Amino acid sequence: MIRAEQLHKHYQMGDSVVHALDGVDLSIKQGEFVAIIGASGSGKSTLMHLIGCLDRPTSGLLEINGELVSAMTEKQLAAARNSYLGFVFQTFNLINRTSALENVLVPLVYTRRAVQRATAKKALDRVGLLSRASHTPSEMSGGECQRVAIARAIVNSPRLLLADEPTGNLDTKTGDQIMQIFHELHAEGITIVLVTHEMDVAVQADRIISMRDGQIVEDTAVDQAQREQILIDAQSSFRKVFDQKAAARAKANDTDAHPKPEAAS
Amino acid sequence: MFHLRIIAMAVRGLQQNLLRSLLATLGVVIGVGAVVSAVSILEGAQRDILGKFESLGADQVIMLNGTRQHGHRRSSVTSLEPEDADKVLQDNEGLIVAVSPQYGSAGQVKYYEKNAFVSVLGVVETYSEINQYFQVHGRGITREDVRGNAMVCVLGHGVAEDLFGALPAIGKPVKINGKTFIVVGVMEERGVMGFTNVDDQVTIPLSTAMRRMFGQKYLSVLVAQCVSAEKMTSCVEACKKSLRAAHRIRAGDEDDFTVFTQEQMKQQFAQVAMIFGIVLYSIAGISIVVGAIGIMNIMLVSVTERTREIGVRIAVGARRFDILKQFLVEASIISMFGGALGVVCGWAMSDFLSKFTQVLETYTPPSIIVIAMIMAGIVGIVSGIYPAIRASRLDPVQALRYE
């Protein structure tokens, strides 16, 4: 479904060249649920934009659905974004002052067919927001907005769903609801690529790709046992840090209780 | 279907910022309104004045006193004499069928306690005939009246009504500038003929007017009736030749009289109208340009403000051309809406002007509606193209990150 070889993406930033992607090899198969993790600036968003046909690589090979992205025309890329891919963003990116239904209709406008409101309503129903069809983004909660955005992404029945920090602006509970929808969509056979830096979101995927400085540093499949182990590890490493901090604080309190005269200022 | 969708989308985009969209149309409203009222005023004036020329008769040569150059000053001279009329007629038998020498001035006409301010015109017996303007009661000015300096007058329709109402006027004595005249006829109702309203006019014998009333030696106008409108060019030349001979003007010296025809007057008026037209259209054009800049400004703001929206649209499959189209359509809708409003405002404005001033005649030709709408469409496209191109060239990755 997605195949990348020696993918490079360079940006000119003033006088220096930024290597946002520095030789990425990657293959994602139909039906996978992939999480891409990494610190900000690691190149994960850039990789997503390339996979999403929003940008073209500087060099290297990128194939999507068996077609070479660099060989595709602007028209073909637009068509791919329209019906093959679906996007979900961290900040929802809904059009303001426009109803949920109209927002979901936007991709259909660019599908060169008669616009079917029924299709849009079905997509809204899929995320459980049909009752909110006439509400505008400002009248909805963040979780609802993200669900509308998911409805917009799936309205054209894409094969591949790209999500860039979809839970980043949401609280844990609504984040879980959103992830639940992703799991359902995945179960229906949609391939999902999810960019995040939250470990507990990433471990929900079948495969975790870790990036640093424009390169893939780790690429592992995870099963249920490993998933739990990772969470435990994360918690224990967090516990370790917490304990260290607590110890440091205790020591500081201890010093405060018996201040040395020369330390006072 | 797809295009309807684009228009519906654009309308929705504009509704989201209704006040701003309305402000953006304002420039075009004013511009198109200015064009429409300028056209209405010009067209009205043209119809009014050309109508007056029309009533002069296409087959008449009008001779007026001329001007003469004194050093670097030009002053009017009086040169037309009653004898010139006979000379012109005798010289050009077969070409000119009649001449009508006239002397006109203002006067006050009184019948007991009633009085009216009128124009007093001294004429000879040919006056009615040349102008196809006849009396409804009594008779006109005759050759005998002129020969005998008779103290008789013929009243215009309006004057007779003012002084006598429904009573018969024939045979009654009236005072014109203090001198007693006997009314011998009342003219038909005719309205404006040439540049005077003949209903407010009193005609008396030419000789009476010049010698007994105003003490003048010179005519104010001499009209020659040409045998046919086709022969006008040779007729004008013939009249000039006769007058030059009569006034003993040597070859090479300039005329001391001016010759007009309806055609020439029309041409001269057309020139004046053109100058006014250029001025009015320039002003209107400037306001349309200002309107276009206003729309461009608003569209640029709108593109910047909706950067993210543009990014999203590209991400979900819009081509650059779709984005271009969307903003062009928005600009065109603003402009066309402004144009429609401008047509209504311009028409209302010119209508108000003609009703309010009572002098200005205005006429709004239906074709201007089509022209104004086409113009508004062009303004929309011209002012929308740059913002639309900017929108369509946005990098989607940057646009999606835009704060």
Side-chain angles (χ1 to χ4, degrees):
Chain A
M1 164 162 264
I2 298 169
R3 197 163 69 87
E5 278 173 27
Q6 279 307 302
L7 208 55
H8 287 265
K9 179 71 192 179
H10 301 165
Y11 293 109
Q12 191 72 39
M13 284 277 246
D15 288 338
S16 60
V17 176
V18 177
H19 296 255
L21 285 185
D22 203 5
V24 168
D25 295 310
L26 176 71
S27 173
I28 295 174
K29 284 189 278 300
Q30 175 73 44
E32 279 194 281
F33 190 155
V34 182
I36 302 177
I37 57 167
S40 47
S42 61
K44 56 189 196 305
S45 289
T46 306
L47 181 60
M48 249 240 334
H49 291 142
L50 289 181
I51 295 172
C53 299
L54 283 172
D55 213 346
R56 289 170 193 264
T58 311
S59 69
L61 178 142
L62 179 62
E63 258 183 31
I64 288 176
N65 199 25
E67 280 189 78
L68 206 56
V69 169
S70 52
M72 281 160 87
T73 62
E74 220 255 299
K75 225 169 160 176
Q76 286 171 317
L77 288 174
R81 289 194 298 261
N82 183 242
S83 38
Y84 188 76
L85 297 163
F87 274 101
V88 178
F89 304 96
Q90 178 177 3
T91 51
F92 327 134
N93 280 337
L94 297 179
I95 298 170
N96 291 333
R97 282 175 265 192
T98 305
S99 73
L101 185 65
E102 291 293 336
N103 264 293
V104 176
L105 274 167
V106 171
L108 293 172
V109 172
Y110 302 112
T111 311
R112 275 140 182 81
R113 269 187 274 120
V115 172
Q116 292 156 325
R117 296 181 93 81
T119 318
K121 281 187 181 164
K122 227 174 84 190
L124 265 185
D125 197 25
R126 179 72 196 70
V127 297
L129 278 183
L130 193 54
S131 57
R132 295 245 169 197
S134 58
H135 290 233
T136 62
S138 58
E139 294 163 351
M140 291 187 285
S141 70
E144 285 172 328
C145 282
Q146 193 61 300
R147 275 147 76 191
V148 172
I150 293 173
R152 181 179 63 189
I154 61 171
V155 71
N156 258 337
S157 325
R159 306 264 298 279
L160 174 60
L161 198 59
L162 299 172
D164 192 354
E165 308 259 16
T167 56
N169 276 16
L170 302 174
D171 59 63
T172 322
K173 205 176 145 225
T174 20
D176 286 347
Q177 286 171 359
I178 296 298
M179 286 311 292
Q180 190 50 44
I181 296 174
F182 280 120
H183 284 299
E184 286 167 22
L185 292 170
H186 178 228
E188 285 168 23
I190 297 178
T191 312
I192 294 172
V193 176
L194 190 146
V195 166
T196 184
H197 57 240
E198 291 169 74
M199 207 52 204
D200 52 344
V201 169
V203 292
Q204 297 187 36
D206 299 336
R207 178 179 165 192
I208 298 175
I209 295 172
S210 173
M211 291 191 72
R212 189 189 300 150
D213 299 333
Q215 288 174 325
I216 293 180
V217 289
E218 228 169 311
D219 183 351
T220 49
V222 276
D223 57 25
Q224 194 56 38
Q226 287 167 316
R227 195 166 286 149
E228 279 160 15
Q229 190 55 48
I230 290 169
L231 279 176
I232 291 164
D233 285 353
Q235 269 168 9
S236 66
S237 63
F238 180 68
R239 169 63 53 192
K240 215 181 282 171
V241 172
F242 182 80
D243 288 345
Q244 280 169 1
K245 285 228 169 136
R249 218 174 13 250
K251 201 177 161 194
N253 281 342
D254 205 33
T255 336
D256 279 349
H258 310 280
K260 289 178 180 147
E262 61 269 28
S265 53
Chain B
M1 184 69 193
F2 178 66
H3 284 91
L4 265 178
R5 194 32 62 181
I6 288 272
I7 289 169
M9 206 164 71
V11 168
R12 209 166 301 123
L14 295 174
Q15 278 172 349
Q16 284 169 17
N17 244 313
L18 197 60
L19 180 67
R20 186 206 280 170
S21 306
L22 287 179
L23 283 175
T25 63
L26 203 60
V28 176
V29 172
I30 292 169
V32 169
V35 170
V36 170
S37 31
V39 168
S40 302
I41 290 166
L42 265 184
E43 193 73 19
Q46 217 146 349
R47 281 180 174 229
D48 182 29
I49 292 175
L50 287 183
K52 283 174 180 166
F53 289 160
E54 223 51 75
S55 67
L56 281 176
D59 50 2
Q60 293 180 357
V61 182
I62 297 142
M63 287 157 271
L64 301 170
N65 289 305
T67 53
R68 184 173 282 159
Q69 197 78 32
H70 293 287
H72 49 268
R73 269 181 58 214
R74 183 167 276 277
S75 59
S76 55
V77 291
T78 43
S79 57
L80 290 173
E81 290 173 85
E83 293 73 32
D84 291 344
D86 303 326
K87 171 88 170 136
V88 166
L89 187 62
Q90 281 161 17
D91 282 1
N92 306 295
E93 236 173 308
L95 198 56
I96 288 167
V97 291
V99 289
S100 166
Q102 299 165 16
Y103 178 82
S105 187
Q108 187 194 30
V109 55
K110 268 176 95 166
Y111 178 66
Y112 296 104
E113 76 279 12
K114 289 189 176 161
N115 73 85
F117 286 93
V118 297
S119 63
V120 180
L121 192 68
V123 297
V124 299
E125 68 281 1
T126 51
Y127 174 75
S128 302
E129 205 184 311
I130 278 188
N131 293 306
Q132 295 293 302
Y133 171 49
F134 299 107
Q135 62 282 355
V136 280
H137 298 298
R139 59 177 181 85
I141 301 295
T142 62
R143 184 188 290 258
E144 285 67 38
D145 291 334
V146 179
R147 204 171 282 164
N149 302 339
M151 299 298 279
V152 293
C153 67
V154 178
L155 304 181
H157 193 270
V159 182
E161 222 160 58
D162 284 353
L163 297 185
F164 297 99
L167 299 171
I170 311 297
K172 299 278 163 36
V174 292
K175 285 198 167 177
I176 303 174
N177 287 2
K179 292 197 167 65
T180 304
F181 285 72
I182 302 298
V183 178
V184 293
V186 172
M187 301 303 281
E188 62 184 319
E189 197 171 352
R190 183 71 173 271
V192 174
M193 194 167 84
F195 293 97
T196 45
N197 184 346
V198 289
D199 291 345
D200 296 335
Q201 180 181 278
V202 173
T203 48
I204 57 176
L206 178 67
S207 51
T208 314
M210 293 179 72
R211 291 180 204 137
R212 297 177 77 161
M213 283 282 291
F214 302 107
Q216 289 287 331
K217 248 179 88 185
Y218 296 100
L219 300 172
S220 44
V221 62
L222 174 58
V223 179
Q225 176 73 47
C226 185
V227 78
S228 71
E230 288 76 45
K231 293 243 170 86
M232 278 301 281
T233 329
S234 45
C235 209
V236 168
E237 287 315 307
C239 288
K240 279 189 182 171
K241 206 175 146 202
S242 297
L243 282 181
R244 286 180 71 91
H247 296 175
R248 294 191 173 79
I249 297 168
R250 277 171 300 183
D253 285 359
E254 60 175 318
D255 296 341
D256 58 358
F257 54 88
T258 321
V259 177
F260 273 116
T261 62
Q262 184 206 58
E263 197 52 41
Q264 280 176 333
M265 282 181 158
K266 274 188 187 170
Q267 281 170 8
Q268 282 197 343
F269 173 72
Q271 252 175 1
V272 175
M274 197 176 74
I275 292 166
F276 271 102
I278 290 170
V279 172
L280 281 177
Y281 287 131
S282 310
I283 294 170
I286 289 167
S287 35
I288 282 194
V289 168
V290 171
I293 292 171
I295 289 184
M296 191 185 283
N297 192 10
I298 295 285
M299 290 310 293
L300 282 174
V301 169
S302 172
V303 166
T304 310
E305 200 183 64
R306 286 154 71 189
T307 299
R308 252 163 186 278
E309 178 189 327
I310 295 162
V312 171
R313 285 180 184 278
I314 293 175
V316 300
R319 298 182 203 162
R320 297 193 177 275
F321 187 63
D322 294 324
I323 303 292
L324 185 89
K325 204 153 55 176
Q326 181 189 344
F327 281 92
L328 263 191
V329 168
E330 276 188 24
S332 301
I333 287 174
I334 290 183
S335 185
M336 300 282 264
F337 180 72
L341 218 60
V343 168
V344 174
C345 289
W347 176 79
M349 178 78 181
S350 63
D351 197 51
F352 170 78
L353 272 180
S354 78
K355 287 207 172 105
F356 185 71
T357 61
Q358 302 273 330
V359 205
L360 215 56
E361 295 248 0
T362 63
Y363 172 74
T364 311
S367 62
I368 190 65
I369 295 168
V370 180
I371 296 171
M373 288 317 285
I374 292 174
M375 211 155 62
I378 293 172
V379 164
I381 289 168
V382 166
S383 57
I385 192 84
Y386 174 62
I389 286 176
R390 256 179 61 159
S392 73
R393 288 208 180 141
L394 283 176
D395 173 14
V397 173
Q398 302 286 336
L400 283 168
R401 275 199 205 122
Y402 185 83
E403 292 297 331

